[in-house]
């Protein structure tokens, strides 16, 4: 793990790292907010970014620093895909390949060696948090935007004790029924739709998984992707059926961007800090 | 003046406009923060962005919304160059042409018809603020980042009553002695260096112009461009000679980015709101 850059921001430092990833067989980058580089933080928040983002979007645009004053909580922001490869169709669209790893373990010929972002987050980032940054395993929460959504919901439903709390802005929740998800899953996982279901939060929740803790979601009503790609309502229905506690705040007029995230970020950070206490 | 997009952000709206510019003979874009679209604001802040920026960078990255709660002050952010042209060398480098208008009125053959960003800001943006948005002429201040610096200093020194206050982050202050400035001025203004001096704040201040009000500047010591491009110290020397009141806060470890701007933005907004009261 190599520190590549340190930038001063408010009274703190933002650190940028790179490391050699076993899951992707590439050099992966991540950014970190550390309240005090000389002290082990009490807890950690993992942020998973969306399409077209990398390890810097959240740190630069969210205004998180306005909400961290009294906490000793770190934030870690992984990148959203492997980089510096040259695979088939990898760089041709914003919604597939680089910038768009979709946090799955690919099984198709072209992508299975590198596009293993599920393992990358679940094993490698998790190990970085607990071993390199020395955070206690009971002091980690996770939140995300858009594409990060289905991964975090899935890991949360499959590993009920692994994270103290999760929350989301504008998450993709039912990718097997949306154009972004269908394209990515076909290319990463092949054409057998049964194989897609383990990466679909709505399916998982309908079928068997209920989590005892509340899922917090904020969603803008003016989000261009709400009706075609995100399908928030399908998760609400699945939660109603399975009696999962879920709070979906539909926010009138807000869109899919960091203008929206930064507006409600304080609520989400407070929610996590409560659970991490 | 055409409203192209409205985005909700915190309790407010960000508006994006375009209009047909006489100075650049192109369609120009700008963004606006209006505290209350139904009310005329009491005052206006004009923000001039730096190289590689457009009308959105400040609005998206600065965290300004955390500092505007009790004010009825609008913010307007113009773009940094004409767009959608195809002039010689216009799109070949980050420090010249599009994204890099340098707020001068070009005199060279290729650029004089369009690259008139000095007039664009001084006349057209100013008229938009006073006529379209109906702000009183005595209630306008101006602040900026990097490339925006020399223009604002020059207009301030040449028009002592036009703006109530000015402030800057990491400004270019002596472009005739720096690579960015030399390249841009040679290509926009020709090779006669005498013609460059009217766009150089350090020269103006040495020669004749002193403003009775304080100039506020924040500058990071870890700014990669400080010693080669910004030359902050030359402005300090000129201010000492001419007895211009200037406060240059050298901020240890901070860089040239929005990580720096967002850290000290609250101080600058307070400074302007005091003068605009």
């Amino acid at each position: 793990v190599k520190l590549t850059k340190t930038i001063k921001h408010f009274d703190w430092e933002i650190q940028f790292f790179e490391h050699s990833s076993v899951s992707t067989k590439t050099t992966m980058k991540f950014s970190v907010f550390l309240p005090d580089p000389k002290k082990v933080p009490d807890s950690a928040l993992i942020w998973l970014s969306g399409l077209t983002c990398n390890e810097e979007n959240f740190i630069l645009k969210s205004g998180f620093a306005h909400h961290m004053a009294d906490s000793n909580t770190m934030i870690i922001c992984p990148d959203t895909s492997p980089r510096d490869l040259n695979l088939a169709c990898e760089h041709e669209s914003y919604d597939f390949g680089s910038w768009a790893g979709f946090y799955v373990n690919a099984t198709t010929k072209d992508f299975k060696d590198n596009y293993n972002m599920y393992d990358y987050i679940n094993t490698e980032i998790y190990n970085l948090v607990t071993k390199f940054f020395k955070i206690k395993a009971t002091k980690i929460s996770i939140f995300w935007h858009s594409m990060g959504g289905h991964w975090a919901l899935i890991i949360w439903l499959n590993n009920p004790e692994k994270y103290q709390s999760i929350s989301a802005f504008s998450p993709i929740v039912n990718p097997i029924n949306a154009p972004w998800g269908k394209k990515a899953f076909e290319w990463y996982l092949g054409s057998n739709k049964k194989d897609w279901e383990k990466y679909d939060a709505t399916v998982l929740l309908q079928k068997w998984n209920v989590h005892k803790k509340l899922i917090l979601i904020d969603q803008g009503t003016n989000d261009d992707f709400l009706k075609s790609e995100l399908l928030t309502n399908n998760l609400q229905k699945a939660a109603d059926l399975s009696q999962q506690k879920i709070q979906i705040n539909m926010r009138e007029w807000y869109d899919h961007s960091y203008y929206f995230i930064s507006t409600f970020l304080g609520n989400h950070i407070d929610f996590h800090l409560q659970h991490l206490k």
Side-chain angles (χ1 to χ4, degrees), chain A:
Chain A
V1 184
K2 187 176 141 199
L3 179 68
T4 56
K5 195 167 58 172
T6 296
I7 296 180
K8 190 138 194 216
H9 184 48
F10 286 74
D11 291 336
W12 302 303
E13 283 178 4
I14 312 291
Q15 299 183 337
F16 291 85
F17 291 91
E18 58 182 45
H19 69 133
S20 194
S21 161
V22 177
S23 310
T24 68
K25 299 189 178 68
T26 60
T27 298
M28 291 293 290
K29 295 179 178 175
F30 60 91
S31 67
V32 164
F33 159 71
L34 280 180
D36 181 349
K38 294 185 201 78
K39 233 164 92 177
V40 174
D42 297 330
S43 55
L45 292 173
I46 301 175
W47 172 266
L48 300 183
S49 273
L51 289 170
T52 77
C53 291
N54 63 15
E55 77 281 6
E56 191 169 10
N57 295 63
F58 178 83
I59 287 286
L60 183 58
K61 295 181 185 170
S62 69
F64 76 92
H66 292 278
H67 308 291
M68 304 305 287
D70 302 320
S71 80
N72 184 30
T73 298
M74 68 173 279
I75 301 175
I76 182 168
C77 305
D79 201 354
T80 59
S81 77
R83 303 283 171 181
D84 300 320
L85 295 165
N86 205 4
L87 309 177
C89 303
E90 191 191 11
H91 306 297
E92 285 170 16
S93 52
Y94 79 99
D95 57 0
F96 180 77
S98 54
W99 309 93
F102 269 85
Y103 307 103
V104 299
N105 288 336
T107 55
T108 49
K109 189 168 69 67
D110 287 334
F111 296 96
K112 67 183 166 56
D113 288 342
N114 308 105
Y115 275 72
N116 296 307
M117 290 297 293
Y118 185 96
D119 280 352
Y120 175 68
I121 305 291
N122 192 27
T123 309
E124 295 190 65
I125 288 290
Y126 186 83
N127 283 346
L128 279 170
V129 168
T130 51
K131 292 181 184 145
F132 186 77
F133 292 107
K134 300 188 170 59
I135 307 296
K136 280 188 200 153
T138 57
K139 295 289 184 185
I140 306 171
S141 288
I142 183 160
F143 61 156
W144 72 86
H145 180 220
S146 194
M147 177 178 73
H150 68 94
W151 183 85
L153 276 164
I154 287 153
I155 206 70
W156 162 265
L157 293 170
N158 286 329
N159 303 265
E161 304 304 327
K162 198 162 181 176
Y163 299 97
Q164 296 309 300
S165 49
I166 64 164
S167 78
F169 293 92
S170 331
I172 294 173
V173 299
N174 189 197
I176 68 169
N177 288 319
W180 282 343
K182 286 179 187 175
K183 175 178 174 180
F185 285 8
E186 177 147 12
W187 292 18
Y188 289 134
L189 306 171
S191 53
N192 185 349
K193 293 189 182 180
K194 271 287 146 205
D195 296 338
W196 303 359
E197 293 190 352
K198 67 175 172 176
Y199 293 114
D200 188 289
T202 297
V203 172
L204 289 186
L205 200 55
Q206 278 168 344
K207 274 196 180 160
W208 71 87
N209 292 285
V210 172
H211 198 291
K212 63 186 181 210
K213 287 187 193 160
L214 177 74
I215 298 169
L216 172 64
I217 291 175
D218 274 84
Q219 174 63 51
T221 61
N222 255 23
D223 184 328
D224 288 339
F225 307 113
L226 174 57
K227 284 183 185 154
S228 57
E229 299 286 2
L230 308 181
L231 310 177
T232 318
N233 206 32
N234 294 0
L235 186 71
Q236 179 72 65
K237 283 184 207 156
D240 291 345
L241 280 172
S242 61
Q243 301 191 291
Q244 170 65 46
K245 279 190 289 180
I246 191 166
Q247 179 182 337
I248 302 181
N249 299 316
M250 297 301 292
R251 303 293 191 179
E252 285 222 18
W253 294 108
Y254 291 91
D255 71 0
H256 194 72
S257 72
Y258 274 90
Y259 293 112
F260 168 56
I261 295 173
S262 58
T263 300
F264 296 102
L265 185 65
N267 299 355
H268 284 240
I269 288 178
D270 288 349
F271 172 79
H272 293 299
L273 294 186
Q274 286 289 338
H275 283 86
L276 291 168
K277 248 185 205 161

